[in-house]
Amino acid sequence: MERKIRILIAKPGLDGHDRGAKVIARGFRDAGFEVIYTGLHQTPEQIVAAAIQEDVDAIGLSILSGAHDYIFPQVIQLLREKGADDIVVFGGGIIPEEDIPALQKAGVKAIFTPGTPIDEAIKWVRENIKHRK
Amino acid sequence: MFREDQLRKVEEEKRKWTEDLSKILCETPERLPRFSTVSDMEVKGLYTPEDLKDIDYSRDIGFPGQYPFTRGVHPSMYRGRLWTMRMFSGLGGPEETNKRFHYLLNHGETGLSIAFHYPTLMGYDSDSPMARGEIGKCGVAVDTLKDMEILFEGVPLDKVTTSMTINPPASILLAMYIVVAEKQGISKREIGGTIQNDMLKEFIAQKTFMLPPRPSLRIIVDTIEYCTKEVPRWNTISISGYHIREAGATAVQELAFTLADGMAYVEAAMERGLNVDDFAPRLSFFFDSHIDFFEEIAKFRAARRIWSKIMRERFMAKNPRSWMLRFHTQTAGCSLTAQQPFNNIVRTAYEALAAVLGGTQSLHTNSLDETYAIPTEEAVTIALRTQQILAEETGVANTIDPLAGSYFVEALTSRVEEQAWEYIRKIDEMGGMVAAIERGYPQMEIAESAYRYQRQVDSGERVIVGVNKYVTEHPPITIWRMRPEIEERQLRRLREVKESRNSMKVKECLDRIRKASQGSENLMPHIINAVREYATVQEICDVWREVFGRYTDPGYF
């Protein structure tokens, strides 16, 4: 039997708004993915360590505090340093449109802004996340 | 409310009406298979005197300012004094926020409310690695007394009241406020305001937590005990449903979990040996005003009725002021949309109206751009003007509790009350709210409601204009941005304060806090001494983290 896609849903920084992260974690689980949720207040270092230890295929970062411009690139940088940059990083939260190009350039594969239906995120994962080699 | 013969007549007439209606519905059915509130509570098409047959006016509704306070806590309500218009504000550093305070006061705001940035909320200083990327973004950076001095420059603390949304370090920020007042020549006995100081809902919903529940409760009771004696005009806690609702709870869950939190605080303070009537008049509440108009009004009315019963019957409070549930309201941030943001002005106006019809004591109205960032000056002005139009143009403040006696509103008030009691009983059976939180009960209930709601939105069953219906493109709006030099200035000031203070004295003060934390002495006098010597928020919180340990998120989903 083929292994399920494994996704780490992570809440970086001091931001406590976890409603979206939990709804998406539940939605992904119901869609048949394996979901690990970090809980709140994780540093980029902790998130990358968890992703490697749990051998996930992707990391979904949720952030609503405005710290995305620091935290997203930091996670990607750390993955690269650990030789784990084949783990796909995507994210969601309160992220102004004009910030998205810079995040994509830094290596974030998709950003889901407020109002995205759960199924749209699921569809994107099915089409874009493959098992790591 | 009605005589037997009146009710029989209504019943008969209703039967006839129902027959006529069903004929019409055969030809043109109703728009939806089911009508429900935003909390998914089913509502009927028509309410009549039959729905009020178990309601006794004197017992259940009564008069404003009288038990059970269904109609409001003051006998004259807004005819005597309007609600306090209190806009939640904090942006960048203390300089920017001080400017915003003055701007709002000059535009007719009647009370202050501080939003702190995340590091302060979580007990970290701006120079901590935990603060990277967060400085000044979600509120104002406050590291030491120096920042509070700048924040309140030109604000007379004996004339204006201030609410502070702060939880694990609430006692520290209150201590700083007391010392700022002292420096203005104002005694702590004269200052008025509120600290949120409600840790239980942090574990449940807002998630700015630091210490485990039980030591958190001890520090809260220290502040209640201290203020009861020394700061008599201070609201020692703002028992909050707002964040519970925003995390996805229904109206009933918001109400029940908040009141159950309130009960846990009363019990903890009584266990300390405090007399309930000495501290209960200074407990205050904070609710969300969501988009479902009548459900919210019913919730506010039910809240007062339940709390008065709890205080009088369960805790045997004798002073009528102890029975009163006074509350602040914020319109629902979670009802606003990033899409077509100007629609948010309209949503906020309806929500503000519900809060006023529900008898709120103070109100924050959200700005149209808050789904993106902290509001711009222009956006916050519209939000404040929304309240002023409501207060002074619409006439809704002319009559007290104008919806009382509405068949629908009274029936809904009773239903919300009954369902809230069911939750309260369940939590009682678990051994109270602290025990319920430790087993993750309210957290899981909220996660379940949030998920159900999202599925209803995704399926289109629940309409959100501009998101899943009437979708059109809108041009981007200009949003507030944090300037990088604010971060540099904040870090520089913190460095300068640390260099210029008497570090021996700071160390002594911190040692006294450590010793008091390990024992049972009230912490407040020691905290006040420490902040006066410019000890930082994090230095004090680090002592607590060391003594009490940290709480980490169990990550229920």
Side-chain angles (χ1 to χ4, degrees):
Chain A
M1 201 180 81
E2 203 193 354
R3 185 172 74 81
K4 289 179 180 175
I5 294 279
R6 281 167 77 81
I7 302 172
L8 183 75
I9 297 295
K11 276 296 293 179
L14 299 175
D15 174 26
H17 297 90
D18 58 358
R19 177 174 177 170
K22 289 161 87 160
V23 163
I24 207 74
R26 171 93 180 261
F28 281 177
R29 188 176 66 194
D30 289 357
F33 306 136
E34 256 180 63
V35 178
I36 300 123
Y37 172 48
T38 60
L40 290 156
H41 309 143
Q42 303 294 303
T43 61
E45 291 79 3
Q46 288 172 317
I47 291 167
V48 168
I52 292 168
Q53 198 193 329
E54 295 284 353
D55 191 22
V56 299
D57 304 302
I59 302 174
L61 295 165
S62 165
I63 189 147
L64 288 83
S65 74
H68 51 270
D69 50 1
Y70 168 75
I71 284 167
F72 280 83
Q74 185 68 13
V75 167
I76 289 169
Q77 172 66 25
L78 288 167
L79 284 172
R80 207 168 288 143
E81 283 170 22
K82 302 274 179 202
D85 48 351
D86 54 336
I87 297 177
V88 175
V89 175
F90 63 99
I94 297 196
I95 299 171
E97 283 293 328
E98 67 237 53
D99 292 3
I100 293 177
L103 296 176
Q104 283 171 332
K105 203 164 153 235
V108 182
K109 286 288 181 285
I111 298 280
F112 299 102
T113 52
T116 307
I118 300 170
D119 288 339
E120 193 181 312
I122 290 170
K123 185 164 170 275
W124 183 87
V125 169
R126 289 222 166 95
E127 288 168 4
N128 292 278
I129 311 290
K130 306 278 175 285
H131 291 296
R132 289 175 77 204
K133 296 288 175 298
Chain B
M1 293 260 282
F2 300 92
R3 291 196 316 270
E4 273 298 312
D5 58 319
Q6 287 175 316
L7 282 173
R8 263 197 307 277
K9 192 155 172 262
V10 170
E11 204 180 325
E12 202 174 302
E13 287 164 355
K14 191 176 162 201
R15 204 164 25 239
K16 272 187 241 151
W17 173 80
T18 311
E19 280 167 22
D20 292 347
L21 177 69
S22 48
K23 277 180 226 149
I24 294 170
L25 292 183
C26 285
E27 289 161 27
T28 42
E30 291 182 328
R31 289 182 293 114
L32 300 172
R34 178 173 173 268
F35 290 81
S36 66
T37 68
V38 74
S39 301
D40 212 25
M41 190 187 278
E42 197 157 348
V43 290
K44 297 190 290 185
L46 191 78
Y47 289 77
T48 69
E50 287 175 291
D51 295 287
L52 270 54
K53 66 178 190 298
D54 297 326
I55 291 179
D56 179 286
Y57 183 85
S58 305
R59 184 195 61 202
D60 301 318
I61 302 174
F63 285 84
Q66 291 177 18
Y67 187 86
F69 303 98
T70 311
R71 306 201 65 177
V73 290
H74 295 302
S76 66
M77 284 305 288
Y78 306 136
R79 287 171 70 101
R81 191 181 155 275
L82 287 168
W83 64 91
T84 306
M85 299 180 192
R86 204 185 275 291
M87 305 299 280
F88 187 45
S89 309
L91 61 165
E95 288 86 350
E96 288 73 27
T97 305
N98 176 266
K99 190 170 155 254
R100 179 65 63 92
F101 284 174
H102 284 288
Y103 175 87
L104 288 167
L105 290 169
N106 289 335
H107 284 73
E109 173 177 64
T110 50
L112 296 176
S113 172
I114 314 177
F116 295 101
H117 77 162
Y118 260 115
T120 305
L121 292 175
M122 295 290 291
Y124 295 108
D125 292 339
S126 297
D127 60 1
S128 157
M130 293 301 289
R132 288 174 303 183
E134 314 260 16
I135 296 172
K137 281 194 181 148
C138 267
V140 57
V142 171
D143 299 312
T144 69
L145 179 63
K146 185 79 202 158
D147 298 317
M148 283 291 264
E149 290 166 5
I150 299 167
L151 190 56
F152 288 102
E153 239 164 50
V155 180
L157 299 190
D158 53 346
K159 301 276 187 318
V160 68
T161 60
T162 305
S163 170
M164 293 189 261
T165 297
I166 188 78
N167 292 280
S171 52
I172 303 169
L173 275 299
L174 169 61
M176 288 182 182
Y177 194 85
I178 289 170
V179 178
V180 171
E182 195 177 275
K183 291 189 170 193
Q184 287 188 3
I186 298 159
S187 146
K188 57 183 182 280
R189 305 200 71 83
E190 290 171 67
I191 56 170
T194 309
I195 37 174
Q196 198 162 76
N197 206 22
D198 167 13
M199 279 312 300
L200 294 177
K201 67 91 176 54
E202 295 299 329
F203 302 112
I204 300 173
Q206 184 165 245
K207 314 287 171 71
T208 61
F209 39 59
M210 183 169 91
L211 313 173
R214 291 172 203 269
S216 298
L217 211 51
R218 176 254 164 113
I219 299 176
I220 292 166
V221 177
D222 278 4
T223 57
I224 294 175
E225 182 179 44
Y226 180 82
C227 290
T228 301
K229 291 173 192 144
E230 306 289 336
V231 201
R233 292 179 57 214
W234 200 266
N235 295 314
T236 51
I237 190 165
S238 172
I239 307 158
S240 306
Y242 182 81
H243 322 87
I244 293 174
R245 190 68 180 281
E246 292 287 305
T250 64
V252 168
Q253 288 168 341
E254 176 194 1
L255 179 57
F257 296 160
T258 306
L259 298 180
D261 284 347
M263 286 159 54
Y265 296 124
V266 173
E267 278 161 16
M270 288 173 80
E271 271 167 34
R272 178 74 62 95
L274 300 180
N275 179 331
V276 66
D277 283 318
D278 288 342
F279 69 85
R282 280 287 156 198
L283 304 175
S284 63
F285 288 81
F286 172 25
F287 291 110
D288 199 300
S289 192
H290 213 299
I291 196 70
D292 198 292
F293 191 70
F294 292 109
E295 182 172 57
E296 293 306 278
I297 296 167
K299 177 187 77 184
F300 299 131
R301 299 174 84 246
R304 283 190 291 269
R305 193 151 79 198
I306 304 175
W307 187 247
S308 67
K309 290 178 191 170
I310 290 170
M311 292 310 291
R312 193 159 102 161
E313 290 162 20
R314 182 189 283 237
F315 295 117
M316 307 294 192
K318 300 280 183 295
N319 180 355
R321 290 193 61 80
S322 305
W323 306 335
M324 289 179 194
L325 178 143
R326 297 171 300 122
F327 68 103
H328 171 71
T329 307
Q330 179 165 340
T331 56
C334 68
S335 73
L336 304 188
T337 63
Q339 296 79 357
Q340 306 177 22
F342 290 106
N343 297 344
N344 294 333
I345 300 173
V346 183
R347 293 188 177 99
T348 298
Y350 290 137
E351 292 164 0
L353 177 58
V356 167
L357 294 175
T360 194
Q361 275 56 64
S362 67
L363 180 61
H364 164 96
T365 30
N366 289 321
S367 300
L368 71 101
D369 53 356
E370 288 192 69
T371 51
Y372 288 100
I374 280 167
T376 61
E377 210 166 79
E378 189 190 14
V380 78
T381 308
I382 297 171
L384 176 60
R385 295 289 183 249
T386 303
Q387 294 198 41
Q388 291 160 338
I389 291 167
L390 196 53
E392 306 196 46
E393 291 186 22
T394 63
V396 297
N398 292 344
T399 295
I400 303 166
D401 189 28
L403 291 177
S406 148
Y407 306 124
F408 179 41
V409 171
E410 291 297 356
L412 200 55
T413 303
S414 296
R415 196 151 131 224
V416 167
E417 177 179 356
E418 273 162 37
Q419 293 187 7
W421 278 119
E422 273 172 41
Y423 266 115
I424 292 171
R425 270 191 289 274
K426 226 179 274 178
I427 292 163
D428 271 344
E429 280 163 19
M430 289 177 195
M433 201 39 143
V434 177
I437 288 168
E438 284 169 345
R439 62 195 261 191
Y441 172 70
Q443 297 95 310
M444 287 306 293
E445 285 288 298
I446 295 168
E448 188 63 41
S449 300
Y451 190 64
R452 190 173 58 230
Y453 174 82
Q454 191 59 45
R455 282 297 184 191
Q456 289 176 340
V457 171
D458 285 357
S459 73
E461 186 188 332
R462 209 160 282 289
V463 171
I464 301 178
V465 171
V467 174
N468 62 3
K469 201 172 179 182
Y470 314 113
V471 178
T472 49
E473 284 299 309
H474 63 87
I477 54 169
T478 307
I479 61 171
W480 181 84
R481 289 276 181 175
M482 166 68 193
R483 299 193 314 274
E485 61 267 28
I486 296 175
E487 182 171 328
E488 288 156 28
R489 186 190 61 207
Q490 190 62 25
L491 292 169
R492 188 172 57 240
R493 179 158 54 233
L494 178 56
R495 205 165 46 237
E496 284 166 4
V497 168
K498 283 183 176 175
E499 280 162 11
S500 62
R501 64 188 182 172
N502 183 332
S503 52
M504 277 301 289
K505 276 196 175 162
V506 172
K507 194 182 167 299
E508 277 168 34
C509 289
L510 293 173
D511 284 341
R512 277 193 217 109
I513 291 175
R514 182 176 296 107
K515 203 155 158 273
S517 300
Q518 286 158 342
S520 60
E521 198 187 344
N522 193 305
L523 288 162
M524 271 310 287
H526 300 297
I527 300 168
I528 293 171
N529 289 337
V531 303
R532 197 183 277 122
E533 296 299 332
Y534 296 88
T536 71
V537 170
Q538 178 166 354
E539 285 167 340
I540 298 171
C541 290
D542 280 345
V543 170
W544 288 335
R545 282 185 273 252
E546 177 199 316
V547 174
F548 298 117
R550 288 162 194 264
Y551 181 83
T552 51
D553 181 21
Y556 301 110
F557 73 94

